[in-house]
Amino acid sequence: MPLVLPAPIWRRLAASIYDGLLLLAMWMVAALVDTLVRDALGGAARTRLAFQILLFLVGLGFFGYSWTHGGQTLGMRVWRMRVRRIDGSALRWPTAGVRYAVMLLTWFALFLPGLLQFPTLAAHVHAGPVIVAGVAFSVVALLVMLLDARRRALCDWAAMTEVVVEPKDS
């Protein structure tokens, strides 16, 4: 039985760049389809909440399917990693949903200070305290990964999963 090693943080971040770009592309296609459908229906109004739910479901479909069918997204496959439950078994949809929601929240907190540099967004919130909260949350998330022996992120803790390195093919 091969030795199972936790995926290093740098490798997880590299894979997340791949997957983040894929997710962004899928969100752009979803926004285009949403606009075309609404225009075809005579310019039906779209609420912000409905659009956010649509984007969440698109991401959940991508990550959930990847994690429940082989445990790898495209980025994880490139960097030879796999997500699995702590007992070594494959993820199921409820676990994938929790993992995706917490992962998305963590990435949102990381990018929030940058997003609030846009005046249109900063005008809607008290930017100072929100930026401090986003940075604090991101630091805690990074510390959790650094201090955990299995390098589990907050999403792994919430979903009781871990990301491991796949052995090289012989």
Side-chain angles (χ1 to χ4, degrees):
M1 187 165 171
L3 178 65
V4 178
L5 298 173
I9 295 172
W10 69 267
R11 190 178 282 196
R12 291 180 68 152
L13 289 174
S16 69
I17 291 171
Y18 281 59
D19 293 333
L21 291 172
L22 281 171
L23 180 61
L24 185 60
M26 286 185 276
W27 281 348
M28 290 167 48
V29 169
L32 176 64
V33 169
D34 175 66
T35 300
L36 293 174
V37 167
R38 282 186 304 100
D39 285 350
L41 296 175
R46 170 182 53 188
T47 65
R48 179 180 291 192
L49 178 62
F51 188 62
Q52 290 171 339
I53 290 171
L54 171 67
L55 295 182
F56 178 83
L57 291 175
V58 166
L60 177 61
F62 167 64
F63 283 101
Y65 182 84
S66 297
W67 292 336
T68 59
H69 291 81
Q72 294 178 301
T73 59
L74 181 61
M76 294 172 88
R77 188 169 306 195
V78 168
W79 289 95
R80 292 189 6 255
M81 297 182 300
R82 180 176 310 277
V83 65
R84 64 185 195 171
R85 291 179 32 183
I86 290 177
D87 64 7
S89 63
L91 274 65
R92 293 179 176 246
W93 275 98
T95 304
V98 168
R99 189 173 197 280
Y100 172 67
V102 176
M103 180 191 75
L104 199 60
L105 176 67
T106 304
W107 280 104
F108 180 73
L110 179 67
F111 289 115
L112 188 59
L115 292 172
L116 288 177
Q117 299 308 309
F118 292 101
T120 55
L121 294 175
H124 296 289
V125 296
H126 299 290
V130 173
I131 289 173
V132 169
V135 169
F137 185 83
S138 299
V139 168
V140 167
L142 182 61
L143 285 174
V144 164
M145 286 182 75
L146 289 172
L147 297 176
D148 183 57
R150 291 191 281 189
R151 298 294 179 242
R152 291 175 293 170
L154 291 178
C155 59
D156 294 314
W157 281 94
M160 293 183 278
T161 60
E162 64 184 353
V163 179
V164 296
V165 175
E166 286 285 288
K168 287 185 180 180
D169 293 334
S170 298

